[in-house]
């Protein structure tokens, strides 16, 4: 699978499944998705900072889908490569060496986004 195909497949699957999940009549799920959306809006902390926090937390929790999602959202929020690597360093210090495989995949995904000029998914609904 090409790099562009991987990013496209990730984005399409995520959107399709979010729509499918939100089509169910379950208020807990809907409220959680809404809470997630509200959490990442500008407030005392701006969107860019919140997405970087989400990225670090995702790396420490070792969730590759979440890492990819937050990398894409960070790109959309204007995070540059130096800022990414400072956030990656925080994740490594907090999470330890077990984060390294996730860092590798995260940097690969970032490289794909940058190399292909691909943009993140427009709406924010967590994985």
């Amino acid at each position: 699978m090409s790099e562009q195909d991987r990013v496209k497949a990730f984005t399409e699957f995520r959107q399709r499944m979010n729509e499918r999940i939100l089509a169910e009549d379950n208020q807990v799920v809907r409220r959680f998705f809404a809470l997630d959306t509200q959490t990442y809006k500008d407030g005392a902390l701006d969107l860019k900072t919140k997405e970087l926090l989400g990225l670090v937390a995702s790396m420490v929790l070792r969730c590759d889908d979440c890492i990819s999602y937050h990398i894409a959202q960070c790109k959309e929020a204007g995070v540059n490569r130096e800022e990414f690597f400072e956030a990656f360093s925080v994740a490594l210090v907090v999470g330890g060496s077990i984060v390294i495989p996730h860092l590798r995949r995260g940097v690969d995904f970032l490289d794909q986004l940058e190399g292909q000029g691909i943009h993140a998914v427009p709406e924010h609904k967590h994985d």
Side-chain angles (χ1 to χ4, degrees):
M1 180 181 293
S2 76
E3 293 175 355
Q4 189 170 12
D5 289 342
R6 179 180 167 226
V7 173
K8 183 179 178 187
F10 171 79
T11 301
E12 288 175 356
F13 175 76
R14 194 182 152 284
Q15 281 183 308
R16 184 177 74 250
M17 292 312 299
N18 283 352
E19 289 171 9
R20 171 70 184 93
I21 290 165
L22 290 170
E24 294 294 322
D25 186 22
N26 184 296
Q27 287 301 318
V28 173
V29 171
R30 288 180 184 179
R31 286 179 180 157
F32 184 86
F33 273 63
L35 177 64
D36 182 76
T37 299
Q38 291 297 316
T39 299
Y40 286 90
K41 290 187 176 181
D42 282 328
L45 296 174
D46 65 1
L47 170 70
K48 182 176 172 180
T49 301
K50 289 180 177 184
E51 286 297 343
L52 285 166
L53 290 168
L55 174 58
V56 169
S58 297
M59 293 187 82
V60 170
L61 293 170
R62 302 183 310 270
C63 175
D64 286 334
D65 280 357
C66 297
I67 292 166
S68 294
Y69 178 77
H70 286 290
I71 286 173
Q73 291 303 111
C74 282
K75 283 295 294 175
E76 289 291 316
V79 173
N80 65 40
R81 198 159 183 93
E82 184 178 1
E83 292 168 323
F84 271 112
F85 274 83
E86 286 193 14
F88 294 156
S89 69
V90 171
L92 281 171
V93 167
V94 173
S97 62
I98 198 165
V99 170
I100 292 172
H102 303 279
L103 173 62
R104 289 182 188 121
R105 288 187 289 274
V107 170
D108 181 55
F109 191 78
L110 175 61
D111 288 346
Q112 292 172 36
L113 287 177
E114 290 178 341
Q116 300 297 324
I118 297 169
H119 297 286
V121 290
E123 85 288 354
H124 188 190
K125 296 275 191 310
H126 200 273
D127 297 314

